[in-house]
Amino acid sequence: MDVDVGDVAQAAYTGHLPEWSEVESLVEAAHRRFKSDADGTVADYIPVLAQADPELFAVCVAEVDGGVHTAGDIQVEFSIQSISKAFVCALVCQEYGHEVVRDRIGVNNTGLAFNSVIAIELNDGHPMNPMVNAGAIATTALMPGATPDEQWDNIVSGLSAFAGRPLTVDDTVYRSEADTNQRNRAIARLLESYGRIELDPLAVVDVYTRQCALRVTARDLAVMGATLADGGVNPVTGQRVVSAGVCRDTLAILAANGAYERSGEWLFEIGLPGKSGVAGGLVTVAPGKAGIGTFSPPLDAAGNSVRGQRATAYLSRVLGLNIFASHAHTLAAQRKDRA
Ligand code: GLN
C-alpha cells in the first residue's frame, strides 16, 4: 500500500481533536493535497461501477459532538458496497453478542482477497470474518427477521439509523451486481455445503447484494463512523443505534480485517479501524473522537480507494488520530499525573 502523504509529522494520540477551526482547515487541506492524485483504477467487475467518474473526491470528518467538516464532492451519492459489512456486523453483534460472532463468523484475517473461495476451503468452511464476502454473507444470514424481506427491512432501518437519514437502494447498481454475482452465489452455496448457512443461500445473497447497493455520501459514512466512535449513539440525531460493547467489538474486527489482505499495512500507516468499499467509499473511526468518510472511485489492487487512503492517512497524522502514536511524558508531567 503506497500511502505516501509527503512530509507530514505524526501528532501524538491525545484523546481529543484539535480545535474546530483547525480541523476545518485540515479537512480542506486533505482534499486540496490529493485532489489531482490520479493513481488507481475504477472497479469494473460490477459492470455499472466502471462508469464512475474517477475525478470525484470528497472528504468528511464528523466529530462525536455532532459537528461535521466537509470538502469536495460531498453531495455525490455512491453505493456503500463492502462498507455495509461493518454496520450489518454491528447489528448482528448487537443481536447475538460477542461469543456468537467470534465463534460462528470469526474475527481473524484470511490473508486473501475479499471474494476468496480458497479461504473457505482452507478453513474447513469457516467464513473467517464478517468483512470478507463469505463472512459477510454468513452475517447477513443472521440478521433478525422471519423472511428475507423482514431481514432487509431491519438492515435498511439499522444502516439508516447509523447514517441519521433514510437510505435507499441504487437499483441500477443492484441489478448490475445481481446479474453478475455468480461468484458470491458460489460462495454462499459452498458455505451451505459446510452447514454454515441455515437459510436459502441465494435469498441471503440477494439481501447482501441489496445492502451493498444502498446509496450514501461521504458525509453519511463519516456520521456512520462517528456513531461507532461515540459508543453507539449517532452524534447528529442523538439516537442510540448499538451498545458501546458492540462498537468495541466491531472496531476490533475492522482493525484486523477492514482492508482485507492489506489490513496490516492499513493499520501500520493509519493506525485506526476502517472499512473500504469497491465503489470508492472509505470509513475510518477514531474512537471517542470522530468518523472520517471519503469518496474517490479509483482503487488499489486489493479494492481500497487510493485517494481515500491517502487523505485518511494524512488526517490521521495531522489530527493525532493514530491510536498507537504516544509521546513520552516528561518526568515533571509524570509526577504531576501521579500526584
Ligand atoms: N458487493 C461487492 C461484492 O460482493 C462488495 C465488494 C467490496 O466492496 N469489496 O463483491
Side-chain angles (χ1 to χ4, degrees), residues 179-194:
D179 285 345
T180 53
N181 65 353
Q182 292 85 352
R183 191 178 182 92
N184 284 342
R185 284 181 253 159
I187 286 173
R189 283 284 188 212
L190 194 55
L191 291 175
E192 180 191 29
S193 79
Y194 280 107

PDB file of all heavy atoms in Angstrom, residues 179-194:
ATOM      1  N   ASP A 179     -26.986  -9.440 -11.606  1.00  0.00           N
ATOM      2  CA  ASP A 179     -26.841 -10.177 -12.875  1.00  0.00           C
ATOM      3  C   ASP A 179     -25.465 -10.823 -13.030  1.00  0.00           C
ATOM      4  O   ASP A 179     -25.269 -11.647 -13.924  1.00  0.00           O
ATOM      5  CB  ASP A 179     -27.005  -9.203 -14.061  1.00  0.00           C
ATOM      6  CG  ASP A 179     -28.462  -8.820 -14.246  1.00  0.00           C
ATOM      7  OD1 ASP A 179     -29.322  -9.506 -13.667  1.00  0.00           O
ATOM      8  OD2 ASP A 179     -28.711  -7.830 -14.956  1.00  0.00           O
ATOM      9  N   THR A 180     -24.501 -10.390 -12.229  1.00  0.00           N
ATOM     10  CA  THR A 180     -23.113 -10.831 -12.462  1.00  0.00           C
ATOM     11  C   THR A 180     -22.452 -11.425 -11.213  1.00  0.00           C
ATOM     12  O   THR A 180     -21.238 -11.587 -11.179  1.00  0.00           O
ATOM     13  CB  THR A 180     -22.255  -9.627 -12.929  1.00  0.00           C
ATOM     14  OG1 THR A 180     -22.411  -8.572 -11.976  1.00  0.00           O
ATOM     15  CG2 THR A 180     -22.661  -9.130 -14.306  1.00  0.00           C
ATOM     16  N   ASN A 181     -23.259 -11.712 -10.162  1.00  0.00           N
ATOM     17  CA  ASN A 181     -22.630 -12.116  -8.888  1.00  0.00           C
ATOM     18  C   ASN A 181     -22.571 -13.636  -8.708  1.00  0.00           C
ATOM     19  O   ASN A 181     -22.758 -14.145  -7.604  1.00  0.00           O
ATOM     20  CB  ASN A 181     -23.342 -11.448  -7.695  1.00  0.00           C
ATOM     21  CG  ASN A 181     -24.777 -11.923  -7.548  1.00  0.00           C
ATOM     22  OD1 ASN A 181     -25.288 -12.643  -8.409  1.00  0.00           O
ATOM     23  ND2 ASN A 181     -25.421 -11.527  -6.468  1.00  0.00           N
ATOM     24  N   GLN A 182     -22.270 -14.327  -9.794  1.00  0.00           N
ATOM     25  CA  GLN A 182     -22.171 -15.796  -9.713  1.00  0.00           C
ATOM     26  C   GLN A 182     -21.193 -16.219  -8.629  1.00  0.00           C
ATOM     27  O   GLN A 182     -21.384 -17.222  -7.940  1.00  0.00           O
ATOM     28  CB  GLN A 182     -21.703 -16.388 -11.054  1.00  0.00           C
ATOM     29  CG  GLN A 182     -22.689 -16.266 -12.188  1.00  0.00           C
ATOM     30  CD  GLN A 182     -22.597 -14.941 -12.915  1.00  0.00           C
ATOM     31  OE1 GLN A 182     -21.877 -14.030 -12.488  1.00  0.00           O
ATOM     32  NE2 GLN A 182     -23.319 -14.801 -14.001  1.00  0.00           N
ATOM     33  N   ARG A 183     -20.132 -15.460  -8.485  1.00  0.00           N
ATOM     34  CA  ARG A 183     -19.108 -15.840  -7.502  1.00  0.00           C
ATOM     35  C   ARG A 183     -19.667 -15.798  -6.073  1.00  0.00           C
ATOM     36  O   ARG A 183     -19.435 -16.709  -5.271  1.00  0.00           O
ATOM     37  CB  ARG A 183     -17.911 -14.903  -7.650  1.00  0.00           C
ATOM     38  CG  ARG A 183     -16.715 -15.370  -6.884  1.00  0.00           C
ATOM     39  CD  ARG A 183     -15.550 -14.429  -7.117  1.00  0.00           C
ATOM     40  NE  ARG A 183     -14.406 -14.893  -6.416  1.00  0.00           N
ATOM     41  CZ  ARG A 183     -13.488 -15.702  -6.937  1.00  0.00           C
ATOM     42  NH1 ARG A 183     -13.579 -16.096  -8.184  1.00  0.00           N
ATOM     43  NH2 ARG A 183     -12.469 -16.094  -6.218  1.00  0.00           N
ATOM     44  N   ASN A 184     -20.404 -14.727  -5.745  1.00  0.00           N
ATOM     45  CA  ASN A 184     -20.992 -14.659  -4.402  1.00  0.00           C
ATOM     46  C   ASN A 184     -22.025 -15.770  -4.196  1.00  0.00           C
ATOM     47  O   ASN A 184     -22.153 -16.316  -3.099  1.00  0.00           O
ATOM     48  CB  ASN A 184     -21.617 -13.281  -4.156  1.00  0.00           C
ATOM     49  CG  ASN A 184     -20.550 -12.228  -3.893  1.00  0.00           C
ATOM     50  OD1 ASN A 184     -19.407 -12.557  -3.567  1.00  0.00           O
ATOM     51  ND2 ASN A 184     -20.901 -10.963  -4.059  1.00  0.00           N
ATOM     52  N   ARG A 185     -22.752 -16.103  -5.274  1.00  0.00           N
ATOM     53  CA  ARG A 185     -23.706 -17.214  -5.152  1.00  0.00           C
ATOM     54  C   ARG A 185     -22.953 -18.523  -4.891  1.00  0.00           C
ATOM     55  O   ARG A 185     -23.380 -19.353  -4.089  1.00  0.00           O
ATOM     56  CB  ARG A 185     -24.556 -17.321  -6.424  1.00  0.00           C
ATOM     57  CG  ARG A 185     -25.633 -16.234  -6.484  1.00  0.00           C
ATOM     58  CD  ARG A 185     -26.470 -16.356  -7.730  1.00  0.00           C
ATOM     59  NE  ARG A 185     -26.155 -15.298  -8.680  1.00  0.00           N
ATOM     60  CZ  ARG A 185     -26.412 -15.354  -9.980  1.00  0.00           C
ATOM     61  NH1 ARG A 185     -26.964 -16.426 -10.505  1.00  0.00           N
ATOM     62  NH2 ARG A 185     -26.122 -14.330 -10.756  1.00  0.00           N
ATOM     63  N   ALA A 186     -21.805 -18.677  -5.545  1.00  0.00           N
ATOM     64  CA  ALA A 186     -20.994 -19.889  -5.339  1.00  0.00           C
ATOM     65  C   ALA A 186     -20.471 -19.935  -3.905  1.00  0.00           C
ATOM     66  O   ALA A 186     -20.465 -21.003  -3.271  1.00  0.00           O
ATOM     67  CB  ALA A 186     -19.834 -19.904  -6.335  1.00  0.00           C
ATOM     68  N   ILE A 187     -20.033 -18.776  -3.407  1.00  0.00           N
ATOM     69  CA  ILE A 187     -19.540 -18.709  -2.013  1.00  0.00           C
ATOM     70  C   ILE A 187     -20.650 -19.133  -1.050  1.00  0.00           C
ATOM     71  O   ILE A 187     -20.436 -19.925  -0.115  1.00  0.00           O
ATOM     72  CB  ILE A 187     -19.029 -17.270  -1.703  1.00  0.00           C
ATOM     73  CG1 ILE A 187     -17.681 -17.044  -2.411  1.00  0.00           C
ATOM     74  CG2 ILE A 187     -18.918 -17.024  -0.201  1.00  0.00           C
ATOM     75  CD1 ILE A 187     -17.152 -15.617  -2.330  1.00  0.00           C
ATOM     76  N   ALA A 188     -21.880 -18.630  -1.298  1.00  0.00           N
ATOM     77  CA  ALA A 188     -22.998 -18.962  -0.401  1.00  0.00           C
ATOM     78  C   ALA A 188     -23.327 -20.458  -0.480  1.00  0.00           C
ATOM     79  O   ALA A 188     -23.603 -21.101   0.543  1.00  0.00           O
ATOM     80  CB  ALA A 188     -24.220 -18.119  -0.757  1.00  0.00           C
ATOM     81  N   ARG A 189     -23.295 -21.023  -1.677  1.00  0.00           N
ATOM     82  CA  ARG A 189     -23.542 -22.466  -1.835  1.00  0.00           C
ATOM     83  C   ARG A 189     -22.466 -23.289  -1.122  1.00  0.00           C
ATOM     84  O   ARG A 189     -22.749 -24.316  -0.512  1.00  0.00           O
ATOM     85  CB  ARG A 189     -23.544 -22.841  -3.317  1.00  0.00           C
ATOM     86  CG  ARG A 189     -24.798 -22.458  -4.053  1.00  0.00           C
ATOM     87  CD  ARG A 189     -25.928 -23.424  -3.704  1.00  0.00           C
ATOM     88  NE  ARG A 189     -27.091 -23.198  -4.540  1.00  0.00           N
ATOM     89  CZ  ARG A 189     -28.343 -23.380  -4.152  1.00  0.00           C
ATOM     90  NH1 ARG A 189     -28.602 -23.784  -2.908  1.00  0.00           N
ATOM     91  NH2 ARG A 189     -29.340 -23.168  -4.968  1.00  0.00           N
ATOM     92  N   LEU A 190     -21.224 -22.811  -1.217  1.00  0.00           N
ATOM     93  CA  LEU A 190     -20.129 -23.512  -0.554  1.00  0.00           C
ATOM     94  C   LEU A 190     -20.325 -23.482   0.966  1.00  0.00           C
ATOM     95  O   LEU A 190     -20.163 -24.503   1.652  1.00  0.00           O
ATOM     96  CB  LEU A 190     -18.801 -22.849  -0.950  1.00  0.00           C
ATOM     97  CG  LEU A 190     -17.520 -23.598  -0.648  1.00  0.00           C
ATOM     98  CD1 LEU A 190     -17.523 -25.007  -1.245  1.00  0.00           C
ATOM     99  CD2 LEU A 190     -16.320 -22.817  -1.197  1.00  0.00           C
ATOM    100  N   LEU A 191     -20.709 -22.316   1.489  1.00  0.00           N
ATOM    101  CA  LEU A 191     -20.986 -22.227   2.930  1.00  0.00           C
ATOM    102  C   LEU A 191     -22.123 -23.188   3.302  1.00  0.00           C
ATOM    103  O   LEU A 191     -22.074 -23.857   4.333  1.00  0.00           O
ATOM    104  CB  LEU A 191     -21.372 -20.789   3.322  1.00  0.00           C
ATOM    105  CG  LEU A 191     -20.262 -19.734   3.241  1.00  0.00           C
ATOM    106  CD1 LEU A 191     -20.837 -18.347   3.530  1.00  0.00           C
ATOM    107  CD2 LEU A 191     -19.133 -20.036   4.235  1.00  0.00           C
ATOM    108  N   GLU A 192     -23.131 -23.235   2.439  1.00  0.00           N
ATOM    109  CA  GLU A 192     -24.260 -24.154   2.682  1.00  0.00           C
ATOM    110  C   GLU A 192     -23.761 -25.606   2.753  1.00  0.00           C
ATOM    111  O   GLU A 192     -24.154 -26.374   3.632  1.00  0.00           O
ATOM    112  CB  GLU A 192     -25.292 -24.014   1.556  1.00  0.00           C
ATOM    113  CG  GLU A 192     -26.502 -24.923   1.736  1.00  0.00           C
ATOM    114  CD  GLU A 192     -27.377 -24.975   0.474  1.00  0.00           C
ATOM    115  OE1 GLU A 192     -26.869 -24.813  -0.651  1.00  0.00           O
ATOM    116  OE2 GLU A 192     -28.585 -25.208   0.622  1.00  0.00           O
ATOM    117  N   SER A 193     -22.840 -25.954   1.835  1.00  0.00           N
ATOM    118  CA  SER A 193     -22.345 -27.336   1.791  1.00  0.00           C
ATOM    119  C   SER A 193     -21.595 -27.697   3.068  1.00  0.00           C
ATOM    120  O   SER A 193     -21.503 -28.853   3.439  1.00  0.00           O
ATOM    121  CB  SER A 193     -21.464 -27.552   0.562  1.00  0.00           C
ATOM    122  OG  SER A 193     -20.176 -27.036   0.791  1.00  0.00           O
ATOM    123  N   TYR A 194     -21.054 -26.680   3.743  1.00  0.00           N
ATOM    124  CA  TYR A 194     -20.354 -26.921   5.012  1.00  0.00           C
ATOM    125  C   TYR A 194     -21.292 -26.749   6.220  1.00  0.00           C
ATOM    126  O   TYR A 194     -20.835 -26.737   7.354  1.00  0.00           O
ATOM    127  CB  TYR A 194     -19.189 -25.938   5.156  1.00  0.00           C
ATOM    128  CG  TYR A 194     -17.940 -26.330   4.381  1.00  0.00           C
ATOM    129  CD1 TYR A 194     -17.565 -25.652   3.231  1.00  0.00           C
ATOM    130  CD2 TYR A 194     -17.115 -27.365   4.841  1.00  0.00           C
ATOM    131  CE1 TYR A 194     -16.402 -25.993   2.544  1.00  0.00           C
ATOM    132  CE2 TYR A 194     -15.958 -27.709   4.163  1.00  0.00           C
ATOM    133  CZ  TYR A 194     -15.608 -27.022   3.019  1.00  0.00           C
ATOM    134  OH  TYR A 194     -14.467 -27.362   2.361  1.00  0.00           O
TER     135      TYR A 194
END
